[in-house]
Amino acid sequence: MSKSKYNVVNPDDICENYGADTLRMYEMFLGPLEQAKPWNTAGITGVHGFLKKLWKLYFDDNGLRVTDQQASSESLKTLHKTIRKVEEDIENFSFNTSVSTLMICVNELSAQKCSSKSILEPLAILISPYAPHIAEELWSGLGHTESIATAEFPIFNQAHLVESTKTYPISFNGKMRFTLDLPIDLSKEEIEKIVMDHEKTKTQLDGRTPKKIIIVPGKIVNIVG
């Protein structure tokens, strides 16, 4: 990029079209601070799309969609793994990976249809160093009168990352037919009973008695007919 080649990009134009937060996050997303990076605005629309998706977690056509309902275990896991990663990245000045982590977080919470204030409030704080303007708007929308800059940084809780269930692929003669979410501490006998009593297992066997039931706790269940 050079003035002599007339290819200078005016940041004011980008701010006018996409907003200052988009420019700010895009610059951090380009790569590590210590490395030279080619300036290319082709990907700036992706960051702008992320911020719009973030906004939709909090607001829809009817206004604020955030509720006081209890957060799901999946949403708590998503939030706390994000807190841990963002905190580490800030300490290491790895802002590009922080932005990537926040994007993954918003995608996961959107898929989970999360509307819990206990998740979305700390998320706004996490994003505020990267997109301060939209974070202030979200914070105000959540009912706060003071600046989000005065809010305490969320505290990471390892307990929310401990797996309590395992998704077992249930196979018949080596071919997976369905999955079951079971507590991770079940014994082989308990897993076998739950699987054999399941309606889908009865449908697959169609009255036949299996020759063998192979169970590897925490991994697979294979029923040999």
Side-chain angles (χ1 to χ4, degrees):
M1 188 175 294
S2 168
K3 286 184 178 180
S4 63
K5 295 183 179 179
Y6 302 100
N7 61 353
V8 173
V9 177
N10 188 339
D12 291 340
D13 294 336
I14 295 178
C15 288
E16 184 176 348
N17 292 326
Y18 299 102
D21 282 346
T22 298
L23 175 60
R24 180 186 178 95
M25 290 196 79
Y26 179 65
E27 288 186 322
M28 287 187 280
F29 189 50
L30 284 174
L33 290 177
E34 68 275 10
Q35 295 181 9
K37 299 170 284 288
W39 176 261
N40 185 346
T41 57
I44 203 166
T45 54
V47 176
H48 189 58
F50 157 70
L51 290 176
K52 289 196 287 187
K53 193 168 189 176
L54 169 69
W55 183 266
K56 289 179 181 177
L57 272 177
Y58 297 78
F59 296 94
D60 57 20
D61 293 339
N62 298 315
L64 186 71
R65 60 178 296 275
V66 180
T67 67
D68 291 324
Q69 71 178 30
Q70 185 175 355
S72 68
S73 58
E74 293 85 358
S75 295
L76 284 167
K77 180 179 178 181
T78 294
L79 173 66
H80 283 271
K81 70 179 182 182
T82 303
I83 293 173
R84 180 176 63 181
K85 186 68 169 68
V86 169
E87 189 172 24
E88 290 174 353
D89 288 342
I90 288 175
E91 290 176 355
N92 296 321
F93 298 99
S94 300
F95 303 129
N96 58 311
T97 53
S98 273
V99 174
S100 177
T101 299
L102 290 167
M103 288 178 173
I104 293 170
C105 175
V106 169
N107 285 338
E108 290 184 2
L109 292 178
S110 297
Q112 295 160 11
K113 301 186 185 304
C114 177
S115 62
S116 174
K117 186 176 183 179
S118 62
I119 299 293
L120 298 180
E121 192 167 78
L123 176 61
I125 300 171
L126 283 178
I127 287 177
S128 62
Y130 302 87
H133 301 88
I134 192 171
E136 285 287 0
E137 290 294 328
L138 296 175
W139 196 243
S140 176
L142 290 170
H144 297 280
T145 55
E146 75 284 2
S147 170
I148 196 171
T150 66
E152 292 187 11
F153 197 83
I155 298 173
F156 167 66
N157 188 343
Q158 176 68 37
H160 293 301
L161 301 189
V162 176
E163 297 288 352
S164 60
T165 62
K166 166 68 180 177
T167 300
Y168 282 86
I170 312 301
S171 301
F172 294 81
N173 297 319
K175 294 183 178 180
M176 192 191 79
R177 298 303 183 186
F178 62 96
T179 61
L180 274 181
D181 290 330
L182 301 175
I184 204 163
D185 57 352
L186 290 180
S187 66
K188 281 187 177 182
E189 293 74 20
E190 290 170 325
I191 295 171
E192 180 176 335
K193 185 177 188 313
I194 293 172
V195 172
M196 295 307 294
D197 288 343
H198 199 277
E199 287 299 322
K200 290 184 179 180
T201 300
K202 295 177 181 178
T203 300
Q204 288 291 330
L205 291 175
D206 194 23
R208 300 187 305 275
T209 300
K211 297 177 182 177
K212 186 188 298 184
I213 302 173
I214 302 169
I215 297 174
V216 180
K219 293 186 178 180
I220 63 165
V221 176
N222 184 31
I223 299 171
V224 181

